[in-house]
Amino acid sequence: MKPWQFETTVTDVRTDARGTWVALESTLFYAEGGGQPPDVGTLDGQPVLDVQRVEEVVWHLVEPGLERGTFVTGIVDEAIRHDHSIQHTAQHVLTALLEDEYGIQTLSFGIGQEESSLEIETETLDWTQIESLERDVQRIIFENRPVSTYELASAEVEVDRLRKPTDRTGMIRIVDIEGLDYNACGGTHVETTGQLGIVHVTSMKKVRGNVRLTYVAGHRALSAIHSSRTALRTIHQTLSTTNETVAARVLEERNLRLERDKEVKALEARVAKAKVAAFLQEDNYVITHIGKTEAETLTTTIVERIAATGRIAVGANHTGQKLWLMHDGTHDIAIGKFLKRTLDDLGIGRGGGSHKQAQARFESVIELERATAEIVKRLQEGMVSC
Ligand SMILES: [Zn+2]
């Protein structure tokens, strides 16, 4: 039998809104707790969807079918358990170093699907400090310190050494990282700090007056480094940069882009003015502008300018498959409702808006053209009752 496989008997079955939960005579499944997610795996080949502890009983959420007294084989997913143990032990090391070297307390902790997070009691922390923290963690990893877990009767616990006081009584599970941490903890851990591989902080954010760090350890850290490198390589290839020049180059590109945007906007305003001037030669109550290849921003500028002259403006943009409707507020047409009703009648597009302006998006240019034609027809024929 593999170390993560076990045989046992179902001792109890309960159902609630989430499904069927079974209790077992003995289990290797870790129940969610202390920021660590539950183990995953199978019971008699069926997936175990959740594991929760209620008053010392571990309940496994499974597909219905298992009855009390059934003999079952359980298998815990070893890779996921090992990963959780790595992320969790990394938290012990981070928390211990933050407190001992930086005087910062850990407030909460959680292992997520991708990253784990740590809320720490400080108003500020900068990336230089984080790099220094990561170097401290790496030193502990290279020293390959033993991580021992054992149970002690509460009277034997060295209370003064505990990182956090515990109000538990009876047998207490202690996690002891040599020379670093002495903690009451029911989670799962690796055997030595070397098994953490690398601990890599991925983000830092201020929350509720504290700082929230996210981090990855072990294989997750390797994957994070791989994905950063892939992203960076794409940037380097596109902009012909290196790690040393990329930051300056990206800033330069952004400034250039802002300049271009300004120029484009000015040009669009000129084009819009010319187009609108041509439209105004027509003495129509409804003016339709169709932009087949232009940018959406140009279509909306033209629509706004037409509307400002007191007409009802209809603008279609083929590139974005979008439609805009607008007037200056002097017309007695609730344009959003009108648009929504027309689309409902046609059974195409999604859209709506306010009294003066509305917009819609379509699945295809053909749908956009159909809707535009119908809207213009209804507006011209006065088929609007709002
Ligand atoms: Zn722990």
Side-chain angles (χ1 to χ4, degrees):
M1 209 180 320
K2 297 174 205 150
W4 298 94
Q5 185 172 332
F6 63 101
E7 286 173 345
T8 187
T9 308
V10 175
T11 51
D12 206 352
V13 181
R14 284 185 189 173
T15 55
D16 67 8
R18 291 191 56 205
T20 304
W21 298 83
V22 299
L24 306 171
E25 200 172 295
S26 64
T27 184
L28 290 182
F29 278 90
Y30 176 76
E32 182 175 13
Q36 184 173 335
D39 276 338
V40 298
T42 56
L43 267 189
D44 269 4
Q46 297 295 317
V48 172
L49 307 163
D50 194 2
V51 188
Q52 295 291 330
R53 180 186 293 270
V54 183
E55 290 165 0
E56 299 308 310
V57 180
V58 176
W59 293 94
H60 309 70
L61 181 64
V62 291
E63 298 294 333
L66 289 179
E67 286 171 16
R68 190 196 296 236
T70 316
F71 190 68
V72 288
T73 301
I75 300 174
V76 174
D77 187 315
E78 185 185 352
I80 292 178
R81 158 66 77 86
H82 188 57
D83 171 64
H84 289 170
S85 300
I86 289 174
Q87 311 311 318
H88 177 77
T89 311
Q91 178 257 319
H92 278 271
V93 175
L94 285 165
T95 293
L97 287 170
L98 278 163
E99 188 180 338
D100 297 348
E101 306 290 327
Y102 302 83
I104 299 171
Q105 298 286 330
T106 294
L107 300 169
S108 65
F109 154 71
I111 298 176
Q113 289 272 346
E114 313 258 315
E115 297 176 320
S116 304
S117 64
L118 212 57
E119 194 171 324
I120 56 174
E121 195 173 22
T122 180
E123 281 175 19
T124 52
L125 196 72
D126 59 37
W127 281 100
T128 314
Q129 286 170 298
I130 287 175
E131 284 175 9
S132 150
L133 171 69
E134 284 173 330
R135 273 193 295 272
D136 290 340
V137 173
Q138 200 63 49
R139 179 172 48 82
I140 302 288
I141 292 172
F142 286 149
E143 286 168 2
N144 202 22
R145 300 193 187 192
V147 180
S148 357
T149 53
Y150 45 86
E151 296 211 335
L152 286 182
S154 54
E156 291 168 38
V157 174
E158 298 172 59
V159 181
D160 296 345
R161 279 185 68 204
L162 277 181
R163 185 153 301 279
K164 218 172 114 193
T166 177
D167 46 16
R168 292 189 74 126
T169 50
M171 293 305 282
I172 292 175
R173 195 148 166 277
I174 297 291
V175 177
D176 194 338
I177 305 178
E178 195 181 275
L180 182 75
D181 198 28
Y182 182 82
N183 223 322
C185 179
T188 69
H189 309 84
V190 293
E191 292 99 42
T192 64
T193 55
Q195 290 173 21
L196 300 178
I198 185 164
V199 177
H200 176 66
V201 174
T202 47
S203 76
M204 169 178 55
K205 214 161 98 185
K206 284 188 183 171
V207 278
R208 299 179 284 268
N210 298 308
V211 167
R212 199 175 114 126
L213 296 180
T214 58
Y215 70 89
V216 283
H219 284 105
R220 292 192 189 197
L222 188 61
S223 302
I225 291 165
H226 284 170
S227 81
S228 300
R229 187 172 61 199
T230 304
L232 204 50
R233 273 176 51 221
T234 310
I235 298 173
H236 286 339
Q237 280 162 7
T238 314
L239 299 178
S240 306
T241 48
T242 62
N243 279 0
E244 287 67 40
T245 60
V246 69
R249 187 63 207 283
V250 166
L251 272 178
E252 192 188 317
E253 281 295 321
R254 196 194 65 155
N255 290 339
L256 267 175
R257 162 87 194 273
L258 291 176
E259 282 295 310
R260 291 277 147 78
D261 284 353
K262 252 192 239 166
E263 286 169 20
V264 167
K265 230 175 174 176
L267 282 171
E268 279 183 354
R270 281 172 62 186
V271 173
K273 200 172 167 190
K275 290 208 175 184
V276 173
F279 282 130
L280 297 184
Q281 304 298 313
E282 311 164 20
D283 191 22
N284 286 339
Y285 159 70
V286 181
I287 290 182
T288 312
H289 164 70
I290 295 173
K292 288 197 173 160
T293 54
E294 70 196 21
E296 284 181 26
T297 47
L298 179 53
T299 309
T300 52
T301 309
I302 291 171
V303 168
E304 279 163 12
R305 281 175 175 257
I306 295 171
T309 67
R311 269 89 158 183
I312 296 178
V314 182
N317 183 286
H318 283 199
T319 325
Q321 288 157 211
K322 280 189 194 161
L323 177 96
W324 288 267
L325 271 177
M326 210 176 287
H327 64 66
D328 63 0
T330 59
H331 297 266
D332 197 18
I333 302 171
I335 215 86
K337 283 186 196 157
F338 162 70
L339 173 65
K340 196 165 182 320
R341 197 169 49 241
T342 310
L343 296 182
D344 285 348
D345 289 348
L346 292 172
I348 53 172
R350 289 170 64 88
S354 65
H355 182 77
K356 288 175 12 180
Q357 50 179 314
Q359 62 168 300
R361 184 194 281 274
F362 299 88
E363 300 280 331
S364 66
V365 171
I366 293 169
E367 283 190 359
L368 169 63
E369 285 180 325
R370 249 185 84 202
T372 310
E374 182 62 24
I375 281 162
V376 171
K377 183 172 151 245
R378 289 189 184 192
L379 285 169
Q380 282 169 342
E381 290 173 357
M383 285 170 64
V384 279
S385 55
C386 42

